[in-house]
Amino acid sequence: MNFTIYRNYNFIFLCLGNLVAYLGEFIYLIALPWLMLDLTGSKSLTSAITASSFLPALFFGIFVGVIIDKYNKKYIMIYSNLNRLLLVLIIPFSLIFNFITPFVVVLVTFLLFTSTTFFIPARDSFLSSIISRVQLSTGNSILSISSQISHLLAPIIAGICVSIFGTIHLFIFCGFCFFISLLIILSINKPFDQSNIEISIFKYKNVIAGISYIYKIRGLRVLLLLTCINNIFIMGPAIIGLPIFVMEVLNADFIVYAQLETAMALGMIVGSIIYINISKTISINYILLLGIVIDGATFSILYFVKENVYAILVLFIHGIGIPLITVSRTNIIQIIAPEKYVGRLLSIINMTVMGTTASSILLTGFILENISIGIFFLFIGFCATATVCIGFINISYKKLLMYK
């Protein structure tokens, strides 16, 4: 391993800023459904508002990519954090001054995750400009680990904070996280790359340039298809199905749900470490397919699980598969795409992930009104695992890295 990456202060600050920002975001996503259930008692409304957090990427993803390719990625991340800081503080103020309504919550959530839609692809695109290409696999894995540490800490902090201070202080803590992340990223001294300054975000041809590039390379189209199908099957069950599984199958409370989330986060950290090592010898294309198999198969296994300890073990293994998918996908884009397209392609991927996640959440809520959670997990796990056939039989996908 090339240890020079650990002496790259820009990279270190990016990882720390990402860790703290993600901590605020994950805690918000944990606090949001509990707040809505307290306010309305409605599961369907809670699901709809949770789904709204994924819609901005679907609506604005393509345009976000062009903006990222044109402007200073560092300051895009800073302004994203500033916006999220101001927006999240509306929630505790509305609770204190008693003007909280579902509309206020959904508006704040939508606008907050609009800023997140800028932050994620700006971060990933910025990474490829501060480390060398040979360091991208390691860099992406470490950046992914920083997100997963946030995922690990979020339920622990949320549980402690709620038990001692109450839900309102969770949102104040989220604002504090976004502020600290802003300061950390401000410390990065990477200068603005002027190479893409001629891009106009208002020219239609620049908006569709990223789509045209994906259309030109069939392997990327297959990658996008894999992303769509896998997310449709998995994301709704993971976000909405898992707490229902805890309540209806395990007959447990929020503490057990937090334990499952923690186990999954630990698995994600382990998965990122595994990725660093196996990406040296195994093609990234196939690592992504391995992640899909683990991702789907573990949900099917939950059909047979009735005890907390086994559920924790399965979620840990499930977590291992997640970075094998997400880090591989980002790494593929960074390797094969020209720098002027990286921001747009990452935004399209983010748009696809978020859009299919929102659809999956809504579908999951509807389906679970009619069938049991165990049968649902068994079915969707099998279908998600089967999507690897698309990658294995498609020659263009298997040869994708030949475009680099």
Side-chain angles (χ1 to χ4, degrees):
M1 183 183 297
N2 188 345
F3 288 96
T4 58
I5 193 171
Y6 301 107
R7 296 194 294 269
N8 184 332
Y9 290 106
N10 288 328
F11 174 72
I12 292 172
F13 286 141
L14 180 64
C15 289
L16 289 175
N18 178 68
L19 187 154
V20 179
Y22 257 85
L23 182 59
E25 186 176 318
F26 281 132
I27 290 177
Y28 184 89
L29 286 173
I30 290 172
L32 176 63
W34 290 98
L35 173 65
M36 288 309 303
L37 286 171
D38 284 342
L39 288 176
T40 69
S42 171
K43 295 179 182 178
S44 59
L45 184 57
T46 298
S47 296
I49 291 179
T50 302
S52 73
S53 65
F54 298 95
L55 293 178
L58 179 63
F59 294 157
F60 309 125
I62 297 175
F63 301 95
V64 166
V66 179
I67 293 171
I68 289 168
D69 285 334
K70 175 179 172 62
Y71 291 109
N72 190 323
K73 300 169 184 62
K74 167 185 169 180
Y75 285 101
I76 289 174
M77 289 186 284
I78 289 172
Y79 291 134
S80 172
N81 277 329
L82 178 60
N83 288 337
R84 291 190 288 185
L85 164 63
L86 297 175
L87 286 165
V88 77
L89 292 180
I90 293 175
I91 300 294
F93 274 106
S94 65
L95 287 167
I96 292 170
F97 294 103
N98 200 31
F99 64 88
I100 187 75
T101 65
F103 176 76
V104 170
V105 177
V106 75
L107 181 63
V108 168
T109 299
F110 182 85
L111 293 176
L112 189 148
F113 281 89
T114 298
S115 293
T116 299
T117 301
F118 284 86
F119 184 90
I120 295 173
R123 175 204 65 193
D124 292 339
S125 183
F126 186 74
L127 175 65
S128 60
S129 70
I130 61 173
I131 63 175
S132 66
R133 287 202 166 222
V134 297
Q135 295 174 326
L136 279 175
S137 291
T138 301
N140 279 303
S141 296
I142 295 172
L143 193 60
S144 178
I145 288 172
S146 72
S147 301
Q148 291 144 17
I149 291 173
S150 301
H151 197 164
L152 175 65
L153 294 175
I156 297 172
I157 293 173
I160 294 172
C161 194
V162 167
S163 63
I164 298 176
F165 302 110
T167 305
I168 186 172
H169 293 281
L170 280 181
F171 296 99
I172 296 174
F173 185 82
C174 291
F176 176 74
C177 290
F178 293 134
F179 176 69
I180 296 300
S181 176
L182 184 157
L183 295 180
I184 293 172
I185 293 174
L186 193 62
S187 302
I188 297 174
N189 60 16
K190 172 71 167 58
F192 180 28
D193 182 0
Q194 299 285 334
S195 60
N196 294 325
I197 195 67
E198 73 281 0
I199 294 176
S200 170
I201 64 173
F202 302 105
K203 289 183 179 179
Y204 181 70
K205 65 179 182 180
N206 289 317
V207 173
I208 66 171
I211 298 175
S212 299
Y213 186 81
I214 290 178
Y215 182 79
K216 182 175 68 173
I217 301 178
R218 187 177 178 184
L220 280 179
R221 301 205 304 270
V222 176
L223 177 65
L224 201 62
L225 179 63
L226 280 169
T227 300
C228 284
I229 298 175
N230 187 62
N231 275 272
I232 284 288
F233 282 124
I234 290 296
M235 294 308 295
I239 295 171
I240 298 298
L242 195 57
I244 294 174
F245 173 79
V246 170
M247 290 186 289
E248 295 185 355
V249 177
L250 300 181
N251 295 313
D253 56 14
F254 178 79
I255 299 300
V256 173
Y257 176 58
Q259 290 172 348
L260 295 184
E261 289 286 342
T262 301
M264 184 164 58
L266 282 171
M268 291 165 67
I269 293 173
V270 172
S272 294
I273 295 171
I274 291 173
Y275 178 85
I276 293 175
N277 292 280
I278 67 175
S279 63
K280 298 182 179 71
T281 55
I282 302 176
S283 173
I284 300 172
N285 309 45
Y286 292 107
I287 294 175
L288 187 146
L289 296 179
L290 173 62
I292 290 176
V293 171
I294 296 172
D295 200 34
T298 46
F299 265 102
S300 290
I301 293 172
L302 284 174
Y303 170 77
F304 304 98
V305 172
K306 308 299 179 184
E307 297 182 18
N308 297 354
V309 64
Y310 296 119
I312 290 171
L313 177 60
V314 172
L315 265 294
F316 173 79
I317 298 171
H318 175 77
I320 292 174
I322 295 174
L324 301 186
I325 300 172
T326 57
V327 178
S328 296
R329 188 170 56 214
T330 300
N331 209 175
I332 288 171
I333 297 295
Q334 292 169 330
I335 289 173
I336 71 170
E339 186 175 354
K340 65 179 180 178
Y341 289 125
V342 170
R344 273 167 279 189
L345 297 187
L346 290 172
S347 290
I348 290 171
I349 292 292
N350 188 50
M351 177 184 69
T352 302
V353 169
M354 296 301 181
T356 51
T357 296
S359 301
S360 182
I361 289 172
L362 294 173
L363 286 171
T364 296
F366 173 77
I367 293 171
L368 287 178
E369 294 288 343
N370 302 285
I371 67 172
S372 70
I373 187 65
I375 294 294
F376 181 62
F377 277 174
L378 181 65
F379 175 75
I380 63 96
F382 173 80
C383 292
T385 303
T387 61
V388 298
C389 296
I390 298 172
F392 277 120
I393 67 176
N394 192 282
I395 296 175
S396 297
Y397 175 78
K398 291 191 284 188
K399 295 183 176 179
L400 184 57
L401 293 182
M402 292 176 62
Y403 289 95
K404 62 182 177 177

